[in-house]
Amino acid sequence: MVRSLHVFLTILFLAVFLGCGTSRDNEPEDSPIVLGYSQLGDESAWRTQNSRSIISAAQDAGIKIMFEDAMQNPENQIKAIRSFIAYKVDVIAFSPLVETGWDTVLGEARAAGIPVIIVDRMIDTADPGLYRTAITSDFDLEGRRAGEFLVEKFQDTDDPVRIVELVGTAESTPAIGRYEGFREVISADPKFEVIFSEDGDFMLSKGREIMQRVLSLYDPEDIDVLYSHNDDMTFGAIEVMHEAGIVPGRDIVIISVDATQRIINYLKEGAVNCVIECNPNSGPLVMDIAGRIAAGEEVPKHISIQETVFDEYTDFSTIADRGY
Ligand code: GZL
């Protein structure tokens, strides 16, 4: 459904952009806010839900959204931002695939007087004036929370705890934060050892590939923990574990980030031991901020999305339906 909505919105965007000129000069003053939104891709269940949240919140807020899916290519995001500038949208928002490479195009948006909202992931820039506000999760905290679960889980042993890590997209804010935050915690005890760590790009297929390679290199008896930076890679790894006769959650302790309904179901079944929430439903907050910026209001420079942890010690009856 979301993909067909993407297609529709892209066609609408092109029709509007190409059909009735490349500017809004002839629109009446009280026209709805026009938001140009560049989404990084559709690589995971989390991303699909995030796009669903953005699009539906724009509709609920009466904001005209030009939604562009960059299909995991930052060049497509730069092209989309330039087209938003040419069309003279009121506000630009985007979820940067990786942290670097944005200064030039955001400088063009600033020169055109168009404010920019950064959503989900962050950019690495020496010029914070390039964006009005950033709405993100605290990925370092997410990584620390994963480490803290392991410290509790293995508090009664001094035996080595050998960890396999499926990392998210290289140079992306969530991958960096979840990698570094995790190590901030486990580095305090030498029994924790990351024996294998590889970039799985937040994708189920790559989670499968990497877990297959890990099992060709290591005896399952020598793996104690899988720490996966997102649920889709976890699903791929669990498929491989089942095929190899490994009981996930028992033979190998599993920590996963995002908190889709499917991973919560695994948690309840004991197939996963800890789920670090990363909330995809930022749409209403993004639209509220876009409306306030378009109205000339001041907004905070950074807004951190509140999240929690679900683990085997959680009262499962308290976990609401995840909705995706
Ligand atoms: C996190 C987001 C990550 C999710 C993945 O905010 O950028 O990208 O954790 C998604 O599932 O692919």
Side-chain angles (χ1 to χ4, degrees):
M1 193 282 276
V2 175
R3 187 170 296 281
S4 54
L5 201 49
H6 282 190
V7 172
F8 168 72
L9 286 167
T10 300
I11 292 168
L12 172 67
F13 166 64
L14 291 173
V16 169
F17 178 59
L18 301 176
C20 56
T22 59
S23 165
R24 299 174 54 217
D25 297 338
N26 54 358
E27 278 191 6
E29 273 302 305
D30 61 351
S31 300
I33 295 168
V34 178
L35 170 69
Y37 196 98
S38 169
Q39 178 61 289
L40 62 87
D42 195 26
E43 75 286 355
S44 63
W46 188 99
R47 185 67 52 200
T48 301
Q49 177 59 23
N50 180 240
S51 295
R52 190 179 290 128
S53 175
I54 294 290
I55 293 166
S56 60
Q59 290 166 337
D60 294 346
I63 288 176
K64 185 159 82 173
I65 185 168
M66 295 180 171
F67 187 91
E68 277 293 299
D69 176 350
M71 294 177 282
Q72 297 257 92
N73 180 342
E75 284 307 312
N76 290 344
Q77 292 198 276
I78 290 169
K79 286 177 190 157
I81 292 170
R82 286 192 168 126
S83 59
F84 300 151
I85 294 168
Y87 187 70
K88 297 182 180 176
V89 299
D90 297 300
V91 184
I92 289 170
F94 79 117
S95 178
L97 179 76
V98 294
E99 292 200 335
T100 55
W102 307 102
D103 281 16
T104 301
V105 73
L106 295 187
E108 293 165 19
R110 179 166 59 184
I114 302 176
V116 173
I117 302 172
I118 297 173
V119 181
D120 171 26
R121 302 180 182 179
M122 197 48 192
I123 64 170
D124 179 7
T125 181
D127 183 359
L130 287 171
Y131 64 93
R132 190 64 66 82
T133 188
I135 302 171
T136 74
S137 296
D138 183 339
F139 301 110
D140 199 84
L141 173 60
E142 292 172 354
R144 293 201 304 275
R145 284 174 164 168
E148 287 158 5
F149 171 77
L150 282 193
V151 168
E152 180 176 11
K153 178 74 179 175
F154 291 93
Q155 61 184 312
D156 297 331
T157 177
D158 289 325
D159 294 340
V161 179
R162 297 148 300 183
I163 303 160
V164 167
E165 180 183 30
L166 300 177
V167 183
T169 303
E171 299 176 25
S172 71
T173 317
I176 294 167
R178 292 168 188 170
Y179 182 96
E180 293 180 349
F182 183 64
R183 284 160 176 75
E184 281 170 38
V185 173
I186 66 168
S187 59
D189 188 332
K191 74 183 178 185
F192 295 112
E193 181 191 356
V194 179
I195 59 173
F196 188 98
S197 179
E198 189 170 314
D199 175 357
D201 218 6
F202 290 124
M203 294 173 74
L204 187 151
S205 57
K206 293 191 177 178
R208 265 193 71 85
E209 281 170 32
I210 296 171
M211 199 66 212
Q212 284 169 331
R213 183 154 58 257
V214 167
L215 294 181
S216 71
L217 296 170
Y218 295 90
D219 185 317
E221 298 292 319
D222 296 332
I223 303 169
D224 301 299
V225 177
L226 171 69
Y227 169 44
S228 173
H229 288 198
N230 92 321
D231 292 350
D232 296 72
M233 295 190 293
T234 307
F235 299 146
I238 286 177
E239 286 175 7
V240 172
M241 290 183 192
H242 285 151
E243 291 158 8
I246 297 168
V247 180
R250 192 196 66 190
D251 297 341
I252 296 178
V253 169
I254 298 180
I255 304 168
S256 189
V257 187
D258 277 347
T260 57
Q261 188 58 51
R262 183 175 167 192
I263 208 77
I264 293 296
N265 295 342
Y266 280 151
L267 176 69
K268 293 177 178 178
E269 295 162 13
V272 164
N273 306 83
C274 177
V275 175
I276 310 296
E277 182 188 29
C278 180
N279 187 342
N281 299 310
S282 56
L285 179 55
V286 171
M287 297 313 148
D288 174 61
I289 293 294
R292 289 163 62 186
I293 288 171
E297 290 181 32
E298 286 300 313
V299 293
K301 190 66 179 177
H302 183 252
I303 299 170
S304 193
I305 296 172
Q306 298 309 302
E307 296 163 343
T308 188
V309 181
F310 307 106
D311 61 30
E312 57 195 22
Y313 312 109
T314 301
D315 173 357
F316 295 152
S317 69
T318 65
I319 305 177
D321 179 73
R322 302 298 297 162
Y324 78 105

